[in-house]
């Protein structure tokens, strides 16, 4: 009896509810909906990881694409000892770091020795990317996001990598250290310094804006003047 073909849309919906562990065997057989589901599921983390190292949206996209190509062409080597997300992130990190090293013509990132074990600082939460309820809220979110992205972009490469993995992606210190191939103590030091540099950068960006807080000029100022004059006239005999 011939098998009844499953419609493409229904097949894609079925893929979306499968775990990575279930998708990998299908992807190894070249199942495109499975591959597409894996890509869509991990795009944001991999892009953030690449963008943290590369600091350029277009090149970060190239890094992610190259990482996916490497991953799917070598998927037979993935034995499931680690999670698929871990494996993909490591490939992305390696691809991004190799491009940075090629740019700088260096053999690797300089190891920063542990000077303090203090964790220090608070986790900085990035604004939600969910749709805002009104234009003013969306504008505020966009401005805050821009401010934070600028601060992240100014961090040195090694600090930026651990900051993104730890504070943005929510990994543990040990996980971030494992991804970056450094000691947990080194990851803690870099994170502590990255947070301090972030605060300094944000304070610097905001310092020139304080004079513009709570503006009351233009039409609002003129309207207030008219209201005051009208009130004074009423009280004047």
């Amino acid at each position: 009896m011939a098998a009844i073909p499953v419609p493409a849309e229904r097949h894609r919906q079925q893929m979306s509810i499968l775990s990575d562990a279930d998708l990998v065997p299908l992807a190894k057989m070249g199942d495109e909906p499975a591959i597409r589901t894996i890509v869509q599921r991990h795009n944001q983390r991999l892009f953030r990881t690449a963008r943290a190292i590369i600091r350029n949206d277009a090149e970060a996209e190239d890094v992610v694409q190259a990482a996916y190509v490497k991953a799917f062409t070598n998927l037979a080597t993935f034995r499931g000892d680690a999670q698929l997300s871990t494996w993909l992130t490591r490939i992305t990190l390696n691809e991004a770091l190799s491009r940075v090293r090629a740019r700088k013509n260096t053999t690797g990132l300089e190891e920063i020795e542990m000077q303090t074990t203090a964790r220090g600082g608070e986790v900085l939460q990035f604004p939600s990317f969910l749709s805002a309820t009104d234009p003013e809220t969306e504008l505020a979110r966009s401005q805050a996001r821009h401010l934070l992205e600028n601060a992240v972009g100014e961090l040195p490469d090694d600090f930026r990598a651990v900051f993104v993995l730890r504070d943005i992606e929510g990994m543990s210190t040990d996980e971030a250290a494992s991804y970056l191939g450094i000691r947990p103590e080194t990851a803690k030091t870099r994170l502590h310094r990255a947070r301090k540099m972030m605060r300094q950068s944000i304070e610097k960006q905001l310092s020139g804006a304080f004079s513009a807080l709570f503006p009351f000029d233009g039409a609002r100022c003129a309207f207030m003047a008219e209201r005051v004059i009208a009130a004074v006239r009423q009280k004047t005999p």
Side-chain angles (χ1 to χ4, degrees), residues 31-217:
D31 187 287
E32 291 187 2
I35 293 173
R36 188 177 292 107
T37 300
I38 291 173
V39 170
Q40 293 174 344
R41 183 172 294 173
H42 297 283
N43 265 341
Q44 178 165 297
R45 166 171 283 189
L46 299 190
F47 177 76
R48 282 179 170 177
T49 300
R51 181 62 174 77
I53 304 298
I54 296 298
R55 290 192 290 181
N56 177 279
D57 285 359
E59 192 171 356
E61 288 187 26
D62 290 342
V63 167
V64 173
Q65 179 177 322
Y68 276 132
V69 171
K70 285 185 178 181
F72 288 120
T73 55
N74 293 279
L75 199 55
T77 66
F78 178 71
R79 295 181 174 84
D81 297 333
Q83 291 185 355
L84 180 65
S85 60
T86 301
W87 190 64
L88 291 173
T89 303
R90 284 176 178 163
I91 294 174
T92 304
L93 274 172
N94 289 336
E95 179 68 22
L97 290 171
S98 68
R99 296 194 184 201
V100 171
R101 289 169 184 147
R103 263 193 228 150
K104 296 183 176 180
N105 194 28
T106 61
T107 57
L109 297 174
E110 180 182 357
E111 179 72 11
I112 298 177
E113 293 300 326
M114 181 69 178
Q115 294 183 358
T116 175
T117 58
R119 183 170 181 270
E122 296 296 327
V123 174
L124 294 174
Q125 298 295 335
F126 271 59
S128 170
F129 287 84
L130 297 176
S131 299
T133 55
D134 57 78
E136 289 186 1
T137 301
E138 177 59 28
L139 177 60
R141 285 181 177 177
S142 177
Q143 291 172 336
R145 187 162 53 242
H146 182 68
L147 182 73
L148 290 169
E149 287 176 348
N150 282 345
V152 172
E154 292 177 359
L155 293 173
D157 293 339
D158 44 6
F159 292 173
R160 192 181 331 107
V162 73
F163 178 82
V164 169
L165 294 179
R166 180 70 175 79
D167 280 358
I168 299 178
E169 291 300 332
M171 295 184 186
S172 68
T173 300
D174 288 344
E175 286 177 317
S178 176
Y179 279 124
L180 296 170
I182 59 178
R183 295 173 298 170
E185 294 80 6
T186 302
K188 289 179 182 178
T189 298
R190 294 182 182 180
L191 179 62
H192 173 71
R193 295 181 181 177
R195 287 169 172 169
K196 182 178 180 180
M197 294 174 71
M198 283 282 292
R199 289 194 297 271
Q200 292 172 340
S201 175
I202 291 171
E203 288 171 1
K204 182 179 179 181
Q205 291 183 68
L206 289 176
S207 62
F210 289 145
S211 61
L213 290 175
F214 309 117
F216 199 89
D217 52 11

